[in-house]
Amino acid sequence: MPKSFELINVGKFEDIKDKQYILPDSKKVLEGKVFLNELMDLTGSEISLNSFAPGQYFPFDHKHKKNEELFIILKGEGEFEIDGKKMDIKEGSIIKVNPNEVRNICNTSKDTNMLYIVIQTIENSMNSKKPTEDGISVVERTKW
């Protein structure tokens, strides 16, 4: 029987800076990156936890075939570039990028790591625009 849930602990978010991900095709090392789909066997989205040191940026501009990306900036400040247009970002900024748009992100801070989450999902894969439509209320109630 398949597991009904996964629970992991990646440690303190600020320690993501010490993690590395090696791209399978090019063997390029991405500093400060953890992909949750590999740790949790995600099947509907790709989620990465990211920490960029001051001055760090994604090592190459990129786009996607099918996946839109949602960048959620949790700490720090920087610039985000979409198709050559740069915009300032900071804690609380959320950027949605369609698959075909060329993108990159850079930490422009002189002394603070930028912490952010990226969520990738297949564009137009949601069954509804209503955020609660997929939820089902149950009679049982958790007692805290």
Side-chain angles (χ1 to χ4, degrees):
M1 175 181 217
K3 292 192 250 178
S4 61
F5 69 92
E6 292 277 342
L7 171 64
I8 64 168
N9 186 327
V10 296
K12 293 182 178 181
F13 204 77
E14 55 263 11
D15 293 338
I16 297 292
K17 70 182 181 338
D18 301 325
K19 309 274 186 191
Q20 293 181 333
Y21 180 77
I22 301 172
L23 293 170
D25 296 335
S26 68
K27 304 300 183 217
K28 189 169 196 62
V29 176
L30 301 179
E31 301 287 342
K33 189 171 206 60
V34 174
F35 279 109
L36 295 184
N37 75 323
E38 293 182 346
L39 297 175
M40 303 185 80
D41 195 28
L42 299 177
T43 62
S45 63
E46 169 57 85
I47 302 171
S48 64
L49 309 176
N50 302 270
S51 176
F52 273 8
Q56 185 178 355
Y57 54 90
F58 202 73
F60 50 86
D61 292 359
H62 72 286
K63 60 183 180 176
H64 289 272
K65 296 173 187 172
K66 297 179 184 177
N67 291 348
E68 64 187 17
E69 288 185 310
L70 186 70
F71 290 76
I72 304 169
I73 311 304
L74 302 174
K75 181 179 177 186
E77 59 186 43
E79 289 184 334
F80 200 93
E81 183 174 338
I82 300 173
D83 282 341
K85 181 179 186 246
K86 290 183 180 174
M87 59 199 90
D88 293 331
I89 56 173
K90 61 183 178 183
E91 182 176 329
S93 296
I94 301 172
I95 308 102
K96 177 202 168 227
V97 187
N98 294 333
N100 289 323
E101 309 300 323
V102 177
R103 72 216 56 191
N104 207 325
I105 184 170
C106 177
N107 179 357
T108 59
S109 171
K110 293 185 179 6
D111 57 5
T112 303
N113 277 26
M114 177 189 289
L115 304 177
Y116 64 98
I117 298 172
V118 180
I119 303 170
Q120 292 184 43
T121 55
I122 295 175
E123 186 178 41
N124 297 315
S125 63
M126 292 293 293
N127 295 329
S128 171
K129 292 287 186 176
K130 297 178 186 174
T132 58
E133 189 170 339
D134 188 55
I136 301 169
S137 184
V138 294
V139 176
E140 296 85 16
R141 177 145 175 106
T142 302
K143 307 266 190 285
W144 298 105

